[in-house]
Amino acid sequence: MPATEPRRPAVPSVPVVNAANALTALRIVLVPVFVVLVGCSALVHPGWRIAATVTFAIASTTDLVDGWIARRYGLVTSFGKVADPIADKALTGAALVLLSWYDRLPWWVTALILARELGVTLIRFWVIRYGVIAASRGGKVKTALQVLAIVWYLWPVPGALAGIGAWIMGAAVVVTVVTGLDYVIRAVRLRRSA
């Protein structure tokens, strides 16, 4: 009688339609809503600015929640792995471009942050055959500082406090550059060790 291989337990497939992916999709849908609200405000009308800020804050919060839900309840999908970073970059990128468009943020800051994000994405593809580079604490700090700075710029902050936004964004830029360099170093090490 021929030997048979032991049966492996079936791995349940994760449905694409789940809570984590729904939040990611919501974030994607909120990007054009946010853009329209900023456009209506022209960053001068307080009511529209508040609406834009609240929309941005809700969308940014879904980024925290969808990842937690996906990991906690085993709802990680290929769609989520692709759509989540796209949604993040679309939201942050739109906010930065709009802030520069309305002369609230220097264009070089927007260009630097977007170049870093594009560079990290390309590096991920460069090393994907060798492994995955996990997000660092610095990366999470970078995201938190960027979100806080963007919220500060969007909200109709009184004149005396408005300047704080530039300091927050300055810190975000420093952390963005440092974590970008760290990502390059870790990617090169991963390639060399493979």
Side-chain angles (χ1 to χ4, degrees):
M1 186 170 175
T4 58
E5 288 186 27
R7 284 189 174 184
R8 294 180 184 165
V11 177
S13 63
V14 178
V16 174
V17 179
N18 61 52
N21 287 347
L23 287 171
T24 300
L26 174 63
R27 188 159 68 261
I28 293 170
V29 169
L30 287 177
V31 172
V33 174
F34 165 71
V35 170
V36 168
L37 290 171
V38 172
C40 289
S41 78
L43 292 183
V44 293
H45 300 290
W48 288 110
R49 288 179 70 178
I50 290 169
T53 307
V54 169
T55 303
F56 179 82
I58 290 170
S60 296
T61 302
T62 66
D63 182 31
L64 298 174
V65 178
D66 66 359
W68 180 82
I69 289 174
R71 290 185 297 275
R72 175 74 174 83
Y73 296 101
L75 298 175
V76 177
T77 63
S78 296
F79 170 82
K81 289 178 184 176
V82 173
D84 184 64
I86 290 172
D88 298 344
K89 287 170 180 53
L91 179 65
T92 305
L96 293 170
V97 167
L98 287 167
L99 288 171
S100 292
W101 181 264
Y102 288 107
D103 294 323
R104 301 301 170 103
L105 186 66
W107 277 105
W108 70 265
V109 172
T110 295
L112 180 68
I113 292 174
L114 294 182
R116 185 267 191 200
E117 296 304 326
L118 176 61
V120 166
T121 300
L122 293 175
I123 288 170
R124 282 185 176 139
F125 284 115
W126 184 55
V127 299
I128 199 165
R129 289 178 45 206
Y130 306 99
V132 176
I133 300 174
S136 65
R137 287 184 183 172
K140 292 174 182 175
V141 170
K142 178 260 315 177
T143 301
L145 285 170
Q146 286 179 3
V147 168
L148 180 59
I150 290 168
V151 165
W152 201 279
Y153 277 107
L154 291 171
W155 191 264
V157 178
L161 298 175
I164 295 174
W167 288 97
I168 300 170
M169 186 58 81
V173 167
V174 170
V175 176
T176 296
V177 171
V178 169
T179 56
L181 292 173
D182 176 63
Y183 211 100
V184 170
I185 291 166
R186 290 194 291 155
V188 169
R189 285 177 181 163
L190 180 62
R191 287 273 303 224
R192 284 181 179 168
S193 65

